[in-house]
Amino acid sequence: MSAPWQQPVPPQPPTRKTSLVGPVVLTGAGVVLLVGTLIAAVVTAGVFLGAVRSDVLTLDGQPGAAVLASAPAPGAASVELTAGERYAVYLVVPRDSLRDGESPRLDEDVLLEAPSGEVIRADDSPGVTMNEGMGDLRAGTVGAFLAPQTGTYQMAVPPAGVDGAWVALAPDRPFAPFFGAIGGTVLGVFVVIGLGGAGLGALVAGVVWWVVRARARRQVA
């Protein structure tokens, strides 16, 4: 017969964890990740809009900030250009004058007379082919050229065969930065998806964990 002090001690029930530190940290991390997702989404949208916006048209259909000169088709205008710079020609037409998927186009090239009297034909391909709409108008690139001299150029615009059509001259957009912006947009989309998924998962897990710990605290109390 064993002594009283040798009697087996009944097992103690496991201590229930009631600390809220873990759930609070996980929930806070989820919130931070979701805020980061929102910031990344805004930045990505800004990069994308900057890449696809030409600034040729304003919301009310007027020449935009990028336009150096504009003229009706047919018509003429004077413009100051810089030697060695490339410029793009945009044709702006009413949206209802185009079929679905059709881009504005001119049957003839825009001509420019340089200060020396040399005539330049705007028949090069632009660095980035743009086609954007604003309100009832649609603008598309129809040519580009390299300015050989600095000075005042006389621009001659041929008929477009569309009532209300006009031509805008703006700096040409190089392809490399445009391609980089599009690549950055694609990367940004993946970042947004990754951050959003991680943030939402952490937030849900943290809330569930928080509820379980809060219930345990009440039972212990």
Side-chain angles (χ1 to χ4, degrees):
M1 185 173 182
S2 60
W5 59 83
Q6 295 178 329
Q7 293 295 326
V9 179
Q12 298 295 321
T15 303
R16 303 195 65 177
K17 296 182 179 180
T18 59
S19 174
L20 295 178
V21 174
V24 169
V25 171
L26 186 58
T27 303
V31 172
V32 171
L33 287 174
L34 289 178
V35 172
T37 301
L38 179 61
I39 295 174
V42 172
V43 172
T44 300
V47 171
F48 177 75
L49 291 176
V52 300
R53 187 182 62 230
S54 67
D55 286 334
V56 169
L57 290 173
T58 61
L59 291 176
D60 58 356
Q62 299 300 313
V67 175
L68 303 175
S70 61
S78 299
V79 58
E80 294 288 332
L81 302 180
T82 303
E85 296 294 329
R86 286 186 57 83
Y87 298 92
V89 176
Y90 293 78
L91 176 61
V92 183
V93 299
R95 188 187 295 269
D96 56 12
S97 67
L98 300 172
R99 295 188 294 268
D100 291 341
E102 185 181 13
S103 300
R105 63 185 183 86
L106 283 172
D107 292 332
E108 300 179 31
D109 297 321
V110 171
L111 301 178
L112 295 106
E113 183 182 2
S116 64
E118 177 187 0
V119 176
I120 299 135
R121 187 179 295 272
D123 57 357
D124 292 346
S125 297
V128 178
T129 299
M130 304 295 294
N131 189 348
E132 71 171 356
M134 196 71 69
D136 295 331
L137 298 177
R138 191 150 201 92
T141 45
V142 293
F145 66 96
L146 179 70
Q149 302 169 10
T150 297
T152 302
Y153 287 68
Q154 303 301 322
M155 180 173 66
V157 180
V162 177
D163 291 337
W166 52 279
V167 159
L169 185 66
D172 193 12
R173 304 185 64 180
F175 178 73
F178 174 80
F179 181 78
I182 295 300
T185 300
V186 174
L187 179 61
V189 169
F190 283 107
V191 170
V192 169
I193 293 174
L195 282 179
L200 183 60
L203 181 62
V204 172
V207 170
V208 172
W209 193 6
W210 200 327
V211 171
V212 171
R213 285 292 174 85
R215 185 178 302 166
R217 289 169 69 92
R218 289 195 299 269
Q219 291 177 348
V220 170

